[in-house]
């Protein structure tokens, strides 16, 4: 297999294809604890949006409540941000995308925000396949309220106080696949390269892309006995594949052996290339994806990579058959029926 | 409204010494009293018809059609003396009273004569009684046929079958009954010419559509579901572009938290958005509405009130969510509530609500109720709204270029209303960060006591500004009146009739202030100042609106406020008000 | 309370002409002002110490320890003239003002002299300033060592290290400063003998434990989390049976809807149940609380109020959820709210709440706030409650045998309170069906207008009955007073000090009514009748309690109610009240 | 394999082992539409509780809001019932079981009540494994509010109005298994025998037992084009196995060939015996259960039977290590610490 060679368009080195510098994608200074996984993820978001070349004014940043949910203030200062209430980011995000389908939305949530109070809205966002990068900064605890277990805390994980979690963890990736999500990945705040590649791929996907990113809480859940610590994650990370991303505006010709990698064309024409490890994993196979997740749940493995992808399913906005222009800014003439229409309606009621 | 298997049809008319006068182009109003159950439990349908145009519920039934074995006895026992009862013969309704005029009809038997299909028979029995009643009340047969043909438009077989039933009933009545002993009669009038009939929820849906609503989100709940359902139907017809694409999105959410969240998200992003619900939904929306208030996000929320608290009586009417709306959410919050009384106002106020939401950048409530929303009401046709939309203080790219920057939460104009930008605005200064936590004028996070307090004071000022923009009351000063009524919403219809009763029967002229919004406009105080006592009439137990009024007026006027409350789930009726008022005024004399 | 990296320690003392007098067994109160953030943002800790026992917040700072580069300038600029500043030398705090007394200390440098560990150094710097301050305020070194040893009990290494730091600070101050220019001084007193120090949330947790709570459900939220966390710890210690099994269940729910749902389910099944939350949780609980009211299910709900609306200021204090609690849920609802003002009352009122919940079979709110809940307060030790629990009107098998049957929603005793049975009661007549929809006395489904209204009237009567059972106010009539204060909760501490100020400085005696519950007891009206004006002082923008009072008293008294509101997120202070009152009274004279 | 013979204890024919007649397990007259699937399920509940011999006074009936949620009024009149608010039955039920662990609780919900508004609480009830029979009367629509699609409506299913559902159905059984539920079955209102056997087995299980029962709504979702109609369900039902139940108090000796059936001993000593069909399905294998569900989702098969069972996991009340007696009725002496305890606590605070 091969794709045509084309050198990348010439642009000043410190600028992306739209002429923005990386500084244009930064936000306010973080007030999180030094070393918090969330800050690492923020950096990768900045990098991915810069490298892909996203128009900042087209982005809507969304979040709920929690340390993780604070982070949208720390990236993309030139984008509108909406930091809502605890656990209800999905509905706000849905409304935003209904109002303006031309926006690119990225929502950041926490494991408490999503898997506890937000579970209902999370499920229904996935079911509707709302176009949105939905990124969970998963640390297994409630950071902002000081370290209580969340619903993604692993069975047997030990809290700082020594209390052991006796309930099973909810696997948000498995849940997402089951609910029809077509872009599901798991990553790690300590693996910047993979995360950036996945984020760029998500920018090329249409529909919800779910990111379950292990993001250690250095203050409340980074001790021995925790299964969401940097050390635990590093020791247990198992890559599903090496990921490279080829954006639609760059066409590179890299030959590879049939069967050695999987190349998926994304909705926007970009490609994501997954170089197989010895696992020989195929992320376009739903059954394999779910089985793999279940197996690694049982064996406490921490798999990272693109777990499932399907580029053929329509998103919710497509199903709604809306006009192309944002509903938000349609002029009065296009949204107010005519006087004749009213007369007709009235006549039918007489 | 669809007529769901009415088991008992109750026709009533003001009884006059001279013999009543009704129907054919005379004012009628129908109310469906149905259970919170899909099928099988008793349902009543009351029709009020009278030449003077009173359309409030009337407690007393004049002409009863008793079809339901489970309730026939109680329905008959509840009548005043000398009333008329048409009934299914086998119910033996005449065993219960001696002081009524009875007309037994073998409906089931007659129906079996028309069709062997037992399911159909039940429906035809209803048409047979229409025929019989038509004869007894002297309704023009031609009019009835006309209505029937219209109802079953295009279904020739249904028309024939129903016409046979109608004739059967009429014939049976003509052959067996002496209609001259019936003290009611229908007479042709011209009072309904050019009128439409519509339910409040459909009217509100039309108002929303003509207000250019683009995102509507909802979760089914009685009695509000039919608003968004009607909206969907109308939008499919009138809001599809030439290329077949929708200029709207209507989304059935997974619950009310999500419905209002979507509506707020859409409003934040610039859409004219709305949701519609009833009491339980209002309770569930509380947290999000607080975000809307504090972060200043527009949307419109319809509350089609049913009987609370809790699940309450889902198919009965009440005005009891007032405090839940006005004080919606924890912390210091106050909301704007608009209150239509008629289907015409459902249309107009729905329309106005979107302008207000965008102007004030806050959730706007519209308070309707089951009686208004789900029953059919006669009305003049709605007037086409010619005004330009008020999209509020939204800065465009051009304005941003001119200004260079903007303060999201500053009070530039001194009215408490800040400027905003929409996501997608292509200007480097357009973006800002919205949050439900503390913020300063620049929308930056702040916990500073002065920032917090200044912002809260501005929100208060914004609320005060709203007094000049909400729909004004309808005020009727009565000549020689010493006291006044204050009411709102559907209570209106009983009030105007009660005022007539009080004037005629007690020679008691009473002025009337019909409230159409919270916060109150300044003429409220002026009105109260004019009268010794003002009776706030409302449909809830706790006198919720009377309380809000007391808190809003100078202390020396509080003593003038009286409260009349009706809260059994049925629409309030004029006689109740008249009696309560007369008793209260007697009390004042002592 | 844990001292989270205090960046700036602020010590303050009433400045007297004669020179102040403080510490060692003299009354102190500390307040932690922290951001809604885990680490790294500025934090203040204020200590108030004075011989008269005033423990409300005092706005003015007398003795500032400035350690935080980000806030040092603003903190110094905010001082009144002639105050004292101890500061980290490198901050050059003395550059900002000429009218203060400055003591620069090279904390970081001194700390490096003690340890090479940079993380430890930061902590030791804090201990060094304690030593320096101790010297300047003449605190007995022996007492300080005693306290230190107690704090680090058992950790010998920590004791040594900290003692070195303490001594270093003291020595540095002694060698470099002239303490005679400091106008404050600590003197041994005996005012704290036998006192305990505890935060309100822990006190409330103890109240719950001694009230025999068996099911506690919660969802983490500041400032309420520490209540259930303290409860868990205490319960593990004192509520484990001999066989090692728990006589309780504490469950961290998935959100507040679930927390209150579990609490209500448990209450319904007979447990003494509770949940604890803050404003956003109260908003989310609205629907369920309506079920509790209407279906009559007991539970106790603590609201440890923070600053609203919405997420607001999670780590600041306010009393602004009053309307959200009293009118919680749609429809006609009214709830009982209990209001402790001290840690002792947190204990006692928490205890009382369970009796009331079971007696009245309804959700009982307890209104505390961040200031009371999360700060440490001095108190007399709590008294052991000797009363028998009031488990309310629960019918046992024996009683059912005697009665044969029972009416779940009947009003047998004329107090509006019905009888109930618990699931698991082994008697064929025990079972009944609970629902949030309409029901009659027998708990059967009913949509009848009369059933509905009778039930609502009974609920109203039950609420009236509650007036005689809720905690009574604390009333202090001042000799010669023409006006009164009305306050509740933590506002109390500023009120008593303000009364003292007004008496001393303005010769203005003011009576005082400290409210401890809604609905109000009948002595409220008696109190208001006695005074020309009653100032309702509260910590919210909208005067929520003043509003409730106006609605509850006869109209002719409404004119006497005045409102003083403090709502910037900091605890209210006496001087604010005094100034507001004096200004208002001046206004009255004109 | 075999179990010992023992004739059932002699009891009057019209009474169960506790001396109750079937009438004792009935409730008020149903007000549902004639033919509603929910009424059929009500009858099977009555039958199962009668035949198993459950003490009515020990039962707590729970429900949310909907036609389905009305049904607890129609069975077990001698049991306490709690009909709460829409979608929140799980939390009420959890509270009830915390208060009195000796109760047997049965919760009836609808697909709207559970899969839409109730999703969050449903997930967390399962995760906690609260002992409760949780029965969803699944008709794919909101009956009580007149026929809107619910979140279990199948993709492509047609509403009465002709509108076609474009969103995927949530498979509540798959979700339950994923979340750690240890007794998961799917049945059909039109298959009384199977349903009764499963209900009796559930009475012997400790922990949540999930019932997803297809229960046609004759008024709003029984037309052609619906995938939740009687006809569709009958035409597509695929039995996983034939089920028989042997209560702990009856020991029957029926020989069967190794491999021909699976016999699971339940927590209370009862047995459930699953006679294999040609599918050869093993419900104790989690992976197989999930794969089977996914496959039949894809092929639109309607599988019924016991999909997954695991008798070895503790329920939430066990994890809480509570005393055996109901917390609700512990006397003051057992729940109020002593005066000495208070003195000790106060001393520590001085
Ligand atoms: C309705 C509501 N309940 C509770 C809270 C308190 N709260 C704030 S953040 C949070 C949990 C955050 O946990 P998570 O989402 O995992 O984020 P993290 O801080 O771990 O990044 C909670 C419970 C709230 N803000 N609102
Ligand atoms: C908070 C709230 N929102 C909406 C409703 C209205 N409502 C009553 S039942 C119901 C749906 C019922 O559907 P389902 O659970 O599937 O039960 P079914 O009637 O189909 O058996 C809804 C939306 C309500 N009672 N409460
Ligand atoms: S508390 Fe944990 S999650 Fe929050 S900022 Fe600190 S390290 Fe990050
Ligand atoms: S509407 Fe449907 S679900 Fe409700 S009772 Fe009728 S058939 Fe059953
Ligand atoms: Mg977290
Ligand atoms: Mg359903």
């Amino acid at each position: 297999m091969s794709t045509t060679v084309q050198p990348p368009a010439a642009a000043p080195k410190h600028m992306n294809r739209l002429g923005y510098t990386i500084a244009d994608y930064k936000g306010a200074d973080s007030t999180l604890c030094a070393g918090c996984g969330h800050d690492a993820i923020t950096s990768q978001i900045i990098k991915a949006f810069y490298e892909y070349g996203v128009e900042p004014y087209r982005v809507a940043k969304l979040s709920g409540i929690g340390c993780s949910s604070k982070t949208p203030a720390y990236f993309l200062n030139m984008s509108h941000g909406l930091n809502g209430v605890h656990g209800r980011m999905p509905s706000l995000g849905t409304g935003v995308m209904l109002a303006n389908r031309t926006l690119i939305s990225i929502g950041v949530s926490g494991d408490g925000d999503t898997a506890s109070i937000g579970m209902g809205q999370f499920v229904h966002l996935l079911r509707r396949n709302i176009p949105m990068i939905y990124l969970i900064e998963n640390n297994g605890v409630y950071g902002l309220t000081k370290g209580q277990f969340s619903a993604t805390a692993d069975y047997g994980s030990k809290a700082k106080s020594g209390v052991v979690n006796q309930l099973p963890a909810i696997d948000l990736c498995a849940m997402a696949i089951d609910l029809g999500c077509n872009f599901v990945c798991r990553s790690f705040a300590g693996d910047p390269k993979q995360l950036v590649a996945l984020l760029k791929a998500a920018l090329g996907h249409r529909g919800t892309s779910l990111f379950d990113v292990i993001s250690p809480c250095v203050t409340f859940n980074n001790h021995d006995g925790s299964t969401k610590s940097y050390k635990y994650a590093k020791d247990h990370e198992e890559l599903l594949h090496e990921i490279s991303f080829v954006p639609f505006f760059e066409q590179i010709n890299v030959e590879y052996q049939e069967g050695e990698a999987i190349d998926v064309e994304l909705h926007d024409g970009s490609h994501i290339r997954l170089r197989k490890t010895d696992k020989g994993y195929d992320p376009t196979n739903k059954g394999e994806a779910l089985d793999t997740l279940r197996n690694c749940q049982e064996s406490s493995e921490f798999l990272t990579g693109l777990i499932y992808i399907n580029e053929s399913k329509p998103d919710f906005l497509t199903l709604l058959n809306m006009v192309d222009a944002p509903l938000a800014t349609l002029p009065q003439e296009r949204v107010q029926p005519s006087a004749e229409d009213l007369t007709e309606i009235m006549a039918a009621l007489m | 409204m669809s007529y769901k298997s009415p088991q008992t049809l109750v026709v009533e008319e003001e009884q006059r010494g001279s013999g009543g006068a009704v129907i054919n182009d005379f004012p009628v109003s129908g109310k469906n009293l149905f259970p919170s159950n899909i099928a099988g439990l008793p349902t009543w349908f009351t029709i009020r018809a009278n030449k003077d145009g009173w359309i409030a519920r009337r407690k007393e039934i004049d002409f009863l059609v008793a079809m339901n074995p489970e309730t026939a006895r109680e329905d008959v026992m509840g009548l005043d003396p000398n009333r008329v009862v048409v009934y299914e013969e086998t119910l033996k309704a005449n065993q219960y009273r001696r002081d009524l005029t009875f007309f037994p009809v073998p409906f089931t038997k007659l129906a079996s004569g028309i069709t062997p299909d037992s399911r159909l028979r039940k429906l035809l029995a209803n048409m047979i009684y229409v025929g019989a009643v038509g004869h007894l009340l002297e309704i023009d047969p031609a009019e009835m046929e006309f209505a029937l043909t219209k109802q079953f438009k295009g279904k020739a077989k249904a028309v024939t079958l129903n016409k046979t039933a109608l004739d059967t009933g009429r014939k049976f009545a003509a052959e067996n009954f002496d209609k001259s002993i019936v003290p009611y009669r229908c007479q042709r009038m011209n009072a309904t010419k050019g009128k439409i009939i519509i339910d409040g929820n459909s009217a509100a849906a039309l108002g929303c559509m003509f207000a250019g609503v683009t995102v509507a989100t909802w979760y089914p709940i009685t009695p509000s579901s039919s608003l968004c359902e009607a909206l969907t139907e109308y939008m499919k017809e009138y809001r599809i572009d030439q290329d077949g694409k929708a200029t709207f999105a209507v989304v059935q959410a997974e619950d009310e938290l999500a419905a209002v969240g979507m509506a707020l998200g859409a409003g934040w992003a610039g859409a004219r958005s709305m949701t519609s619900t009833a009491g339980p939904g209002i309770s569930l929306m509380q947290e999000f509405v607080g975000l809307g208030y504090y972060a200043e996000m527009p949307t419109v929320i319809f509350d089609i009130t049913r009987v609370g608290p809790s699940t309450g009586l889902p198919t009965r009417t009440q005005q009891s969510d007032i405090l839940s709306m006005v004080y919606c959410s924890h912390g210091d919050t106050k909301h704007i509530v608009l209150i239509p009384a008629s289907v015409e106002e459902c249309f107009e106020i729905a329309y106005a609500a979107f302008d207000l939401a965008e102007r004030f950048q806050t959730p706007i409530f519209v308070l309707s109720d089951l009686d208004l929303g789900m029953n059919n009401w006669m009305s003049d046709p709605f007037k086409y709204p010619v005004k330009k939309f008020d999209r509020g203080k939204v800065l465009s790219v051009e304005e941003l270029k001119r200004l260079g920057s903007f303060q999201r939460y500053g009070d530039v104009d001194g009215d408490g209303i800040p400027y905003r930008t929409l996501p997608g605005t292509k200007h480097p200064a357009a973006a800002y960060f919205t949050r439900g936590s503390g913020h300063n004028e620049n929308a930056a996070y702040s916990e500073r006591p002065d920032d917090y307090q200044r912002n809260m004071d501005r929100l208060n000022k914004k609320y005060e500004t709203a007094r000049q923009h909400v729909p004004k009351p309808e005020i009727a000063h009565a000549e020689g009146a010493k006291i006044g009524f204050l009411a709102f919403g559907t209570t209106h219809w009983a009030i105007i009739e009660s005022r007539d009763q009080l004037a005629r029967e007690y020679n008691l002229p009473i002025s009337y202030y019909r409230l159409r919004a919270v916060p109150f406009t300044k003429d409220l105080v002026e009105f109260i100042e004019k009268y010794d006592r003002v009776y706030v009439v409302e449909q809830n137990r706790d006198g919720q609106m009377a309380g809000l009024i007391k808190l809003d007026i100078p202390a020396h006027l509080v003593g003038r406020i009286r409260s009349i409350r009706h809260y059994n789930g049925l629409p309030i009726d004029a006689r109740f008000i008249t009696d309560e008022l007369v008793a209260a005024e007697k009390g004042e004399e002592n």
Side-chain angles (χ1 to χ4, degrees), chain A residues 57 78 80-81 83 88 91-92 95 121 128 321-323 328 332 334-339 344 346 349-350, chain B residues 150 195 197 210 238-239 241 244 246 252 254 258 262 266 269-270 288 351 382 384 387 389 421-422 424 432 434:
Chain A
Y57 77 87
M78 275 158 58
H80 276 72
N83 175 221
R88 319 290 175 193
S91 61
L92 285 174
Q121 298 212 338
R128 291 197 185 94
N321 189 34
M322 301 190 311
V323 294
Q332 182 163 357
R334 284 188 73 183
V335 295
Q336 185 175 51
S338 68
E344 178 181 298
M346 290 298 110
L349 294 167
M350 281 178 189
Chain B
K150 193 175 165 191
K195 302 272 183 184
I197 288 190
F210 281 87
Y238 294 101
R239 287 283 297 280
D241 250 22
Q252 182 185 316
E254 63 271 28
M262 291 178 194
F288 250 140
Y351 187 88
F382 305 155
Y384 188 73
K387 252 185 61 190
F389 291 167
T421 56
L422 304 183
Y432 68 94
T434 303

Side-chain angles (χ1 to χ4, degrees), chain B residues 199-258:
Chain B
D199 60 275
N201 282 350
S202 297
L206 286 173
C208 296
M209 177 167 77
F210 281 87
V213 65
T214 44
V215 176
T217 59
W218 66 296
Y219 187 68
I221 188 165
T222 308
S224 115
S225 304
S226 58
L227 201 165
C228 280
E229 284 173 334
L231 181 66
T232 309
E233 293 310 311
Y234 280 127
M235 299 280 255
K236 279 190 198 160
E237 186 78 27
Y238 294 101
R239 287 283 297 280
I240 303 289
D241 250 22
Q242 287 105 321
D243 55 356
K245 295 207 164 175
T247 61
F248 66 90
V250 182
V251 176
Q252 182 185 316
E254 63 271 28
D255 63 13
E256 289 86 350
L257 288 95

Side-chain angles (χ1 to χ4, degrees), chain A residues 147-199:
Chain A
Q148 301 86 1
F149 281 129
S150 80
T152 66
D154 292 302
Y155 177 84
S157 176
K158 213 180 261 175
K160 245 181 150 177
S161 61
V163 176
V164 173
N165 179 35
Q166 297 189 303
L167 295 178
I170 296 178
D171 186 328
L172 296 169
C173 290
M175 189 169 248
I177 297 172
D178 251 337
L179 290 164
C181 185
N182 299 306
F183 187 111
V184 178
C185 59
R186 177 166 284 149
S187 191
F188 171 40
D191 187 346
K193 212 172 130 268
Q194 185 192 57
L195 189 51
V196 168
L198 287 168
L199 279 166

Side-chain angles (χ1 to χ4, degrees), chain A residues 143-324:
Chain A
L144 192 55
T145 55
K146 307 198 167 179
Q148 301 86 1
F149 281 129
S150 80
T152 66
D154 292 302
Y155 177 84
S157 176
K158 213 180 261 175
K160 245 181 150 177
S161 61
V163 176
V164 173
N165 179 35
Q166 297 189 303
L167 295 178
I170 296 178
D171 186 328
L172 296 169
C173 290
M175 189 169 248
I177 297 172
D178 251 337
L179 290 164
C181 185
N182 299 306
F183 187 111
V184 178
C185 59
R186 177 166 284 149
S187 191
F188 171 40
D191 187 346
K193 212 172 130 268
Q194 185 192 57
L195 189 51
V196 168
L198 287 168
L199 279 166
K200 288 194 275 189
L203 284 165
H205 176 74
R206 183 100 197 138
T208 311
S209 45
L210 181 88
F211 282 72
D212 179 15
V213 187
I214 304 308
S215 176
C217 169
V218 294
T219 304
F220 298 112
N221 204 16
N222 200 32
H223 48 273
D224 292 348
S226 158
T227 57
K228 296 275 195 286
S229 65
Y230 278 112
K231 186 166 177 341
Y232 187 94
K234 275 197 190 114
D235 291 352
H236 291 77
E237 184 176 6
E238 299 261 358
L239 286 181
L240 278 176
H241 32 230
E242 302 262 322
I243 300 177
S244 46
F245 173 76
V246 188
F248 64 90
F249 53 86
E250 277 178 26
Q251 306 220 340
I252 330 176
N253 187 0
V254 182
E255 298 275 345
Y256 63 93
Q257 288 302 113
E258 193 73 52
E260 175 191 289
I262 291 179
D263 192 274
V264 185
E265 178 167 349
L266 298 160
H267 186 269
D268 72 344
S270 301
H271 285 251
I272 185 160
R273 185 163 298 169
L274 307 162
R275 194 164 296 273
K276 292 186 179 173
T277 60
D278 47 6
K279 294 208 184 301
Y281 183 74
D282 176 6
T284 64
N285 181 331
K286 195 176 199 165
E288 187 174 344
L290 286 168
D291 287 345
T292 307
L293 283 172
R294 188 172 59 252
N295 292 338
C296 78
Q297 216 179 21
E298 275 159 18
S299 63
S300 301
E301 266 177 295
F302 166 43
L303 278 188
T304 67
L306 181 61
I307 295 171
Y308 178 62
I309 185 164
N310 177 348
E311 283 297 286
S312 68
K313 292 280 172 75
D315 69 2
F316 191 59
L317 304 181
T318 308
L319 294 178
L320 286 175
N321 189 34
M322 301 190 311
V323 294
D324 297 335

Side-chain angles (χ1 to χ4, degrees), chain B residues 77-152:
Chain B
M77 293 307 288
L79 296 176
D80 285 346
N82 303 321
R83 297 309 190 270
V84 178
V85 183
V86 172
Y87 65 99
E88 160 61 47
E89 195 171 39
T90 55
L91 297 180
K92 303 208 174 72
N94 59 344
Q95 68 186 300
Y96 305 121
R97 299 269 295 262
R98 307 251 143 244
D99 55 348
L100 304 172
T101 306
F102 285 103
F103 296 108
V105 186
F107 291 116
T108 323
K109 224 161 69 190
L110 291 174
S112 342
I114 307 177
T115 174
D117 178 339
S118 72
R119 225 168 35 91
L120 212 57
R121 235 180 274 156
K122 216 165 178 170
L123 299 174
L124 289 183
N126 289 341
M127 200 49 76
I128 296 172
Y129 81 58
V130 173
V133 169
H135 173 77
L136 290 172
L137 293 177
E138 297 185 13
I139 304 175
D140 182 349
E143 288 287 348
M144 295 181 74
E145 249 178 72
F146 173 78
L148 188 150
T149 316
K150 193 175 165 191
Q151 175 79 12
F152 294 101

